[in-house]
């Protein structure tokens, strides 16, 4: 009821919520001076010519980066929805994009088997990380921005030095494509989800497997650490979300 009460004054949802609240004797907090649009601040960013596979917001909240099957990355202004620039260089679908923690760089993974680092201000390509023999599915920066972890269809993860582009280590243990990767808040561990239905936690310094979390009945497409690093959450095509002790 409270959520519906924040709709524009002319909305049937608001009128229904107010009527129900009165009949039940429930109080509602009123939003004074609220915008009268259906979705305040909402805008659509148009420019890609194919499916958009990945998006990320800059740390300062002012920009959005998108990656698409049209092989392009685009940077957008959040306030205006205007396209700031287009980043070209990938030869295959762009599957994963994200900003560095300081917002100065962007990393992207592609089905062209490469990972690229870009200058977020100029759009210039900083370097290309080539070490996979097949498609890259997921990329993520470490919390301090010094390393990048990437997952691949060839069942492995790789960690790279974000400054030099040097490969730090390869994490091998999944039996099928790695779909999602993420660093722990302290940067000491990495979690991965895979088509093999497993979640794995790794030592980010050595590449050693710390543990395997089994329980999903289908591929694991999304994984993340909790802010304190004590829990891992995973989402799967088995229609379940699981929370694990990390």
């Amino acid at each position: 009821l409270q959520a519906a009460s924040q709709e524009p004054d002319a909305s049937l949802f608001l009128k229904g919520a107010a009527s129900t609240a009165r009949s039940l004797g429930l109080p509602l907090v009123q939003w004074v001076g609220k915008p009268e649009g259906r979705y305040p601040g909402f805008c659509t960013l148009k420019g890609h010519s194919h499916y958009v596979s990945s998006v990320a917001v800059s740390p300062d909240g002012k920009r959005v980066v998108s990656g698409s099957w049209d092989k392009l990355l685009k940077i957008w202004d959040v306030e205006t929805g205007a396209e700031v620039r287009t980043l070209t260089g990938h030869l295959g679908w762009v599957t994963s994009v994200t900003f560095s923690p300081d917002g100065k760089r962007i990393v992207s993974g592609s089905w062209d088997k490469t990972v690229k680092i870009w200058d977020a201000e100029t759009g210039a390509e900083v370097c290309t990380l080539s070490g996979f023999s097949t498609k890259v599915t997921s990329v993520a920066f470490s919390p301090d921005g010094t390393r990048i972890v990437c997952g691949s269809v060839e069942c492995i993860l790789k960690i790279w030095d974000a400054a030099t582009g040097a490969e730090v280590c390869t994490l091998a243990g999944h039996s099928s494509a790695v779909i999602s990767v993420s660093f722990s808040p302290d940067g000491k561990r990495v979690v991965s989800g895979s088509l093999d239905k497993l979640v794995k936690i790794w030592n980010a310094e050595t590449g050693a497997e710390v543990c395997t979390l089994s329980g999903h009945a289908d591929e694991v497409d999304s994984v993340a650490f909790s802010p304190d690093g004590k829990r891992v959450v995973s989402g799967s095509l088995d229609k379940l979300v699981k929370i694990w002790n990390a």
Side-chain angles (χ1 to χ4, degrees), residues 44-178:
T44 299
L45 312 179
K46 296 181 179 179
H48 285 293
S49 61
H50 214 313
Y51 302 136
V52 177
S53 53
S54 183
V55 294
V57 180
S58 63
D60 63 6
K62 295 181 178 180
R63 293 165 296 163
V64 166
V65 63
S66 55
S68 167
W69 284 18
D70 63 12
K71 308 175 186 177
L72 302 175
L73 287 80
K74 289 182 180 289
I75 300 175
W76 312 82
D77 183 284
V78 169
E79 291 298 321
T80 66
E83 182 181 322
V84 177
R85 58 181 46 86
T86 297
L87 286 55
T88 61
H90 279 299
L91 302 178
W93 296 347
V94 179
T95 53
S96 184
V97 296
T98 193
F99 280 94
S100 61
D102 62 6
K104 294 181 179 180
R105 292 165 295 165
I106 291 169
V107 64
S108 59
S110 169
W111 277 29
D112 66 8
K113 308 176 187 178
T114 70
V115 174
K116 291 182 182 290
I117 301 174
W118 313 81
D119 185 301
E121 184 62 32
T122 66
E125 183 179 321
V126 177
C127 68
T128 297
L129 311 178
S130 301
F132 290 107
S133 62
T134 188
K135 306 160 186 173
V136 178
T137 56
S138 183
V139 296
F141 270 102
S142 61
D144 62 5
T146 62
R147 290 166 296 161
I148 295 168
V149 63
C150 312
S152 148
V153 170
E154 65 182 293
C155 314
I156 62 173
L157 299 79
K158 287 183 181 288
I159 296 178
W160 311 80
D161 185 295
T164 66
E167 183 178 324
V168 176
C169 59
T170 296
L171 289 58
H174 282 293
S175 60
S176 192
V178 177

Side-chain angles (χ1 to χ4, degrees), residues 22 25 28-30 71 79 107 117 140 174 187 195 216 231:
R22 284 195 299 270
L28 289 178
V29 178
Q30 289 186 319
K71 308 175 186 177
E79 291 298 321
V107 64
I117 301 174
H174 282 293
L195 290 183
H216 280 297
R231 298 285 187 272

